[in-house]
Amino acid sequence: LVYRRPWFNKKRNVGLEFGALYVKSKEVNIATAENNQVFYFNPDALQVQRRRFSATLDFRPKLLIVHRLGLEYHHNNVSDTVGKHLNRDFFGDGKLAQRHFSLRYLMEYDKRDMKFYPLNGWYIRTELRKNGLYKSDDLRNFRISADVRNYTSLSKRWSIESVFKGRVTLPR
């Protein structure tokens, strides 16, 4: 569930977004074996629950550039069977819950001729994320990611999209 109030000031360059997520499942991926996911399913009990609450401030100083600063709270649970017996490393050390705050900064530069099926232009997206703002948070890491795309039209019927993506995560 997301509520978005884009560009609410007179200059129309500041916006807000609030979100809430609740997911529950009776099936969960517990491991990887021979490059295949291994799932556990129990039709009688929930195996995983995920909750997330977020608030984001959008700032668009120029038409093609958007900055987003967001704060999130994550609360995840797994069943006793998953966390204690099938995969003690699901949240680490046999824990059944994981709670943490996240701070996220995102910058987007969008100079494409069309958002859907572009033929010419650039799209750049970078994100900085700090998971675990407090010492009591269960997950603590820092992540940097980038997505750079170039669109070039070769003729009336042919075009090329070049994509570069990267992500670095630094643990505790």
Side-chain angles (χ1 to χ4, degrees):
L1 175 68
V2 174
Y3 172 76
R4 190 163 203 197
R5 178 74 165 101
W7 325 129
F8 63 84
N9 63 340
K10 284 186 179 183
K11 287 185 171 183
R12 299 184 58 81
N13 65 353
V14 177
L16 288 172
E17 179 180 295
F18 298 97
L21 171 77
Y22 178 68
V23 177
K24 57 185 179 176
S25 179
K26 294 180 179 182
E27 183 176 35
V28 64
N29 176 8
I30 57 167
T32 303
E34 297 180 12
N35 210 22
N36 292 311
Q37 292 178 320
V38 177
F39 290 92
Y40 173 70
F41 176 72
N42 182 345
D44 300 323
L46 290 177
Q47 300 307 310
V48 65
Q49 294 182 31
R50 300 182 189 277
R51 297 168 207 76
R52 180 178 66 216
F53 303 97
S54 63
T56 304
L57 177 68
D58 295 343
F59 176 59
R60 186 179 67 184
K62 296 182 180 180
L63 183 62
L64 305 176
I65 298 174
V66 176
H67 301 276
R68 304 185 87 208
L69 183 64
L71 180 66
E72 300 174 349
Y73 174 71
H74 298 257
H75 184 169
N76 304 313
N77 296 80
V78 292
S79 69
D80 188 52
T81 303
V82 171
K84 296 257 185 223
H85 304 290
L86 297 176
N87 186 352
R88 293 188 50 79
D89 292 326
F90 197 91
F91 290 135
D93 298 329
K95 292 181 183 177
L96 301 179
Q98 182 185 70
R99 297 177 188 92
H100 69 277
F101 283 91
S102 296
L103 185 64
R104 178 182 144 203
Y105 169 74
L106 178 93
M107 190 279 299
E108 285 183 313
Y109 173 74
D110 192 350
K111 192 176 170 114
R112 297 176 287 183
D113 56 354
M114 294 178 280
K115 283 203 185 255
F116 303 105
Y117 307 111
L119 298 175
N120 292 296
W122 284 88
Y123 175 77
I124 301 170
R125 180 177 192 235
T126 59
E127 180 181 0
L128 305 173
R129 176 184 286 271
K130 171 68 173 128
N131 292 320
L133 302 179
Y134 301 102
K135 288 184 180 182
S136 61
D137 287 349
D138 297 323
L139 177 66
R140 300 187 58 159
N141 62 26
F142 180 72
R143 184 171 72 200
I144 301 168
S145 60
D147 181 359
V148 179
R149 299 169 186 233
N150 176 260
Y151 303 91
T152 305
S153 182
L154 300 175
S155 69
K156 197 173 189 179
R157 296 180 56 170
W158 293 92
S159 64
I160 293 178
E161 175 186 14
S162 305
V163 177
F164 169 77
K165 289 184 178 185
R167 181 167 88 177
V168 175
T169 302
L170 305 172
R172 301 180 191 218

